[in-house]
Amino acid sequence: MSTHQRTLGAALVLALAAGLAGGATTGGAAATAATAATAEAGRTPGATRLQEILDRLTTVDGGPGALLDVRDRRGGTVLTSGVADVRSGRPVHPESRFRIGSATKMFTATVLLQLVGEGRVDLDAKVERHLPGVVRGHGNDGRRVTVRQLLQHTAGLADFLDHLKPQEIVRDPLAHRDARDLVETALAHPPVFEPGTGWDYSNTGYLLIGMIIEEVTGHPYGDEIRRRVVRPLRLRETSVPGESPDIPRPHPRGYAHTGENAPLLDITRINPAVGGAAGEVVSSGGDMNRFLAALLDGRLLHPAQLREMTTTRPTGGTDGRAYGLGLESKPLPCGGRYWGHTGDFLGFETASGATAGGRQATVMVNAGPGGSDAQSDDIGAALETALCQGRPRTSR
């Protein structure tokens, strides 16, 4: 998990612990695992190992429920553990919808790169060309920042989430939060570095990308995601909710941890506009896997734009993670790399990845923020184990 996500989670947990929100739910993670898989897959050692990781997520890691959807060219398997609702004990549905958080960036970047392929946007154009006067003040200047830098988190713009008071979200989770206002919150602070001289994850850049899509097409970015990605791929479980706080059924409840040994807070209903083009999409494991398969197969982007998207730069971590344009890559323990994105939105933590060999996996836990580092580590372990299954180990 990136530093900005963990910082936001810690701040929100402090707010919750101080009693700034109601609706806390007694009850914890269910120790009993509910598994949805084919009988044949359920008998394989690989599926057993994956189920063990999921069960760890919903017991020692403290998550209420977990889901893993893994697919390749021969078919797919869904495994679940724990509960979708800690009050009723309802199990996690294998076709659950959930908030994917920052994995939204893959959809937003895909639309922007389609516009590049159509000659309507230049990656190396200054942001000022499309959004005159928007990026200004406190050392920020859209005449010096490029579209590419927004997509790759090299623009140096402050992340609005670092300056948004979590108490405000908790007190009124259904409040409208306009993208331009959120951008202005970030631009009230100086840049983290000069454009193009470093890498720092910033949701602000993707709000601006959403605004560029709207300026170029004349349509809301959500409409463009639906028209260009969701409908062509028939992603029936994927939506861009806008202001709607509801998740289409079936879905698990989303919870936030309020402190060690403290009750979970049910935060399922929230206005997702606070995520906007950086984090508002709702999807499912199956749809995320179909999207990634289509993206890497070249069904969504021309070869030139897919090359741009997968041209990465290091993020500065020790895990080998690198970031392209809305798409990140990371080494696999069995050799090679995978492509995808993590997501962390109120109530949910997710990760999706795919290999060039045609295998995809998505993991979801219905708890966040405030979860343990172990939860994030085991989400990563489940993803990488699923992607490595059936592959011979190679030297790195």
Side-chain angles (χ1 to χ4, degrees), residues 305-328:
Q305 280 69 60
L306 186 56
R307 282 195 299 272
E308 295 279 16
M309 192 179 211
T310 55
T311 299
T312 62
R313 61 155 295 153
T315 62
T318 59
D319 59 359
R321 193 182 302 269
Y323 206 93
L325 305 184
L327 190 67
E328 62 183 6

Side-chain angles (χ1 to χ4, degrees), residues 58-336:
T58 61
T59 53
V60 295
D61 293 349
L67 174 149
L68 167 67
D69 190 310
V70 57
R71 295 169 187 266
D72 59 22
R73 294 186 176 99
R74 294 171 295 179
T77 298
V78 182
L79 302 174
T80 67
S81 180
V83 297
D85 185 328
V86 300
R87 287 189 182 275
S88 68
R90 173 171 54 90
V92 177
H93 195 288
E95 296 180 0
S96 291
R97 279 78 157 170
F98 44 85
R99 303 192 193 281
I100 65 170
S102 284
T104 297
K105 293 177 177 66
M106 294 190 291
F107 291 81
T108 302
T110 296
V111 170
L112 191 284
L113 286 165
Q114 288 181 354
L115 295 173
V116 171
E118 295 165 9
R120 302 169 73 181
V121 176
D122 181 346
L123 281 174
D124 295 312
K126 304 302 183 188
V127 173
E128 183 76 7
R129 175 187 296 182
H130 298 290
L131 303 176
V134 171
V135 180
R136 283 285 198 282
H138 302 277
N140 300 289
D141 191 343
R143 294 167 295 187
R144 301 170 57 208
V145 176
T146 68
V147 175
R148 184 192 303 274
Q149 289 167 348
L150 295 181
L151 288 166
Q152 200 159 37
H153 302 296
T154 57
L157 300 179
D159 190 342
F160 73 88
L161 285 180
D162 290 337
H163 304 286
L164 184 65
K165 293 180 180 179
Q167 295 93 331
E168 296 177 7
I169 301 176
V170 172
R171 285 194 184 105
D172 191 359
L174 302 183
H176 167 75
R177 290 175 175 86
D178 185 76
R180 191 173 290 262
D181 291 340
L182 295 173
V183 167
E184 289 178 358
T185 296
L187 298 181
H189 302 272
V192 180
F193 49 74
E194 288 295 308
T197 64
W199 189 91
D200 191 69
Y201 195 95
S202 176
N203 289 285
T204 307
Y206 274 78
L207 296 186
L208 290 166
I209 290 294
M211 293 165 65
I212 290 172
I213 291 171
E214 294 178 353
E215 186 274 336
V216 171
T217 66
H219 304 132
Y221 71 85
D223 288 355
E224 290 297 311
I225 289 175
R226 284 185 283 269
R227 184 173 74 85
R228 294 168 174 268
V229 179
V230 174
R231 289 173 191 153
L233 297 182
R234 297 191 175 115
L235 304 180
R236 296 183 176 89
E237 297 159 3
T238 300
S239 58
V240 188
E243 298 280 333
S244 173
D246 297 312
I247 303 172
R249 294 180 179 178
H251 69 81
R253 309 297 299 177
Y255 298 97
H257 292 278
T258 60
E260 188 175 358
N261 300 320
L264 294 168
L265 177 78
D266 188 329
I267 199 163
T268 307
R269 298 190 79 247
I270 185 170
N271 187 331
V274 70
E280 77 163 279
V281 167
V282 169
S283 192
S284 68
D287 271 11
M288 290 301 295
N289 292 341
R290 282 186 283 274
F291 165 72
L292 277 171
L295 182 61
L296 296 184
D297 284 350
R299 283 178 274 157
L300 291 171
L301 295 175
H302 296 308
Q305 280 69 60
L306 186 56
R307 282 195 299 272
E308 295 279 16
M309 192 179 211
T310 55
T311 299
T312 62
R313 61 155 295 153
T315 62
T318 59
D319 59 359
R321 193 182 302 269
Y323 206 93
L325 305 184
L327 190 67
E328 62 183 6
S329 72
K330 188 181 176 186
L332 279 169
C334 54

